[in-house]
Amino acid sequence: MSPLRWGIVTAGTIAHDFVCAVSTLPDTDHKVVAVAARGLEHVQTFAESHGIPAFYVGCEALAKDPKVDIVYIGTVNTVHYEVAMMMLDAGKHILCEKPLCVNEGQSKALLDYARAKKLFCMEAIWSRFFPAYNHLRDRIRQKNLGDIKEVKVELGLPITKVDRIRMRHLGGGTVLDLGVYNIQLALWVFQEFPGEIVAEGKSNEENVDIETNVKLRFPGGGVATMKANGVKQLSNTAVITGTKGTITLYDFWCPTELTDIDGTERSYPLPQSKIECILKNSVGLRYEADECRKRILAGELESQIVSHEDSLNVARVQDTIRKQIGVEYAEDYTFKPQKTSQV
């Protein structure tokens, strides 16, 4: 079986880490064959440092490269939709960084088009593929925690000086960048859509949220309390409590350690990449990359771990939170689907 051939859009930090993570997988299964970014010198340096044979200025040439099977999109939020649609038009499968798009409308149009084109498309919510999440999933399925009553989760990092976080025209804000991790965990644990969403937040001079406090109440009686903060460091833990006990995930968005229901500390170390990653535990991006290969080989258009419905539900919660705290993007008013479901 030939390897899955990856094209990378952008040559920034997350793209660097993704390529490093893929390098820890067997080269018989995965191969990065092309990268595209805006500046020639930058993309050429990126390609040379990672041993990528082809590099392009702009996405169009990468979309036309017949050697690319799947494209990893790590651009700023506001161009996810445009780039992903271009790649789908070119017959490429898609792994797109979170948030999939800036709102539910864009996300639905993109996923509908991917399905119409019979191409795999997944939002890169990498957290769900970590072994620690697999362990939590097993505990929940086996009812070891009993009935889940509460999720307390917070993620805070001092990142508000970063342009893609602080600028509204780039789709900035903690709801899309950090809050997505809180939301996806809560929805995944309770396996239902919340009946009530209550949010409050603080914004910067761009009217982009830098801090949010959110409570989700679920029809089954469960409650999720979530904090996202781009100004200061928080504990970055997720505590899942049921009638029979509690499990705590540390650095829950990329966890390699947890405290189990019986108090046991469990560790899931990551392999070393050939080139050092920049962001915390980014070698763990390997798990979502491998999931893409498995699903594509099986002829499937989505992963049940991060399904299309999952992505739309996350986007719906994000839209509701933004509406309540008064954070709006131009796309909320100007977006019209570029494609129909026809191919």
Side-chain angles (χ1 to χ4, degrees):
M1 190 68 66
S2 59
L4 185 65
R5 300 172 299 178
W6 289 88
I8 311 296
V9 174
T10 73
T13 298
I14 192 62
H16 167 87
D17 284 6
F18 183 80
V19 175
C20 290
V22 170
S23 76
T24 68
L25 296 166
D27 56 14
T28 53
D29 293 346
H30 298 267
K31 186 173 179 60
V32 179
V33 299
V35 58
R38 285 181 293 180
L40 174 59
E41 183 176 353
H42 182 49
V43 73
Q44 182 174 3
T45 299
F46 186 96
E48 290 173 351
S49 66
H50 289 285
I52 301 172
F55 56 89
Y56 304 108
V57 177
C59 303
E60 293 83 358
L62 187 145
K64 295 175 183 177
D65 189 335
K67 295 180 181 178
V68 173
D69 301 315
I70 183 169
V71 177
Y72 172 77
I73 300 171
T75 60
V76 295
N77 299 338
T78 46
V79 296
H80 284 184
Y81 177 81
E82 176 187 351
V83 174
M85 293 295 275
M86 178 192 301
M87 297 304 163
L88 291 172
D89 267 339
K92 314 299 187 190
H93 302 291
I94 299 294
L95 175 63
C96 183
E97 263 306 330
K98 54 78 194 166
L100 182 63
C101 298
V102 297
N103 57 33
E104 184 188 1
Q106 281 193 339
S107 297
K108 186 177 187 306
L110 173 60
L111 293 172
D112 283 350
Y113 193 56
R115 185 163 290 279
K117 295 282 285 185
K118 295 180 170 56
L119 291 166
F120 176 84
C121 184
M122 187 174 83
E123 183 177 10
I125 301 180
W126 65 317
S127 313
R128 293 189 178 185
F129 301 96
F130 274 74
Y133 270 69
N134 295 337
H135 179 81
L136 175 60
R137 182 181 295 116
D138 289 342
R139 287 294 199 202
I140 292 173
R141 285 175 176 170
Q142 294 166 17
K143 295 292 185 179
N144 300 133
L145 285 164
D147 296 328
I148 307 298
K149 294 298 184 181
E150 184 180 46
V151 169
K152 284 188 176 181
V153 57
E154 61 179 36
L155 180 53
L157 300 167
I159 56 174
T160 48
K161 292 184 179 179
V162 179
D163 281 352
R164 68 177 180 82
I165 305 298
R166 70 181 184 87
M167 303 295 288
R168 185 165 56 159
H169 76 278
L170 299 179
T174 59
V175 172
L176 297 191
D177 192 77
L178 300 179
V180 61
Y181 291 117
N182 298 339
I183 295 164
Q184 66 82 24
L185 176 67
L187 298 187
W188 179 78
V189 168
F190 286 110
Q191 289 295 301
E192 57 183 353
F193 195 81
E196 183 182 20
I197 302 169
V198 179
E200 60 181 17
K202 297 179 181 179
S203 298
N204 65 7
E205 67 283 354
E206 283 264 326
N207 198 29
V208 163
D209 56 290
I210 57 175
E211 179 182 338
T212 58
N213 294 293
V214 179
K215 182 165 286 188
L216 306 181
R217 297 187 184 277
F218 292 86
V223 176
T225 304
M226 310 184 301
K227 294 181 180 181
N229 196 306
V231 179
K232 62 183 179 181
Q233 186 86 19
L234 298 180
S235 69
N236 299 339
T237 58
V239 182
I240 299 92
T241 302
T243 53
K244 294 183 179 179
T246 296
I247 290 179
T248 301
L249 299 178
Y250 304 100
D251 294 320
F252 78 94
W253 80 101
C254 55
T256 57
E257 295 181 339
L258 62 80
T259 298
D260 209 350
I261 189 171
D262 59 358
T264 302
E265 302 289 332
R266 295 184 180 272
S267 180
Y268 305 90
L270 292 164
Q272 289 290 320
S273 56
K274 297 172 185 176
I275 302 173
E276 188 175 355
C277 288
I278 298 170
L279 301 174
K280 190 177 187 69
N281 293 343
S282 281
V283 171
L285 292 164
R286 70 197 301 272
Y287 301 123
E288 66 178 9
D290 213 33
E291 172 71 3
C292 293
R293 181 177 184 271
K294 291 174 182 175
R295 301 285 70 81
I296 291 169
L297 286 177
E300 298 172 15
L301 304 183
E302 61 184 307
S303 167
Q304 291 309 306
I305 299 174
V306 182
S307 69
H308 291 181
E309 183 181 6
D310 288 339
S311 289
L312 293 177
N313 285 340
V314 168
R316 190 172 302 129
V317 173
Q318 289 173 321
D319 285 358
T320 302
I321 293 170
R322 289 197 296 109
K323 185 175 181 179
Q324 289 188 17
I325 64 178
V327 174
E328 300 174 332
Y329 304 123
E331 292 81 2
D332 295 332
Y333 299 96
T334 62
F335 170 70
K336 294 181 180 179
Q338 296 177 6
K339 308 288 179 181
T340 68
S341 59
Q342 298 175 347
V343 291

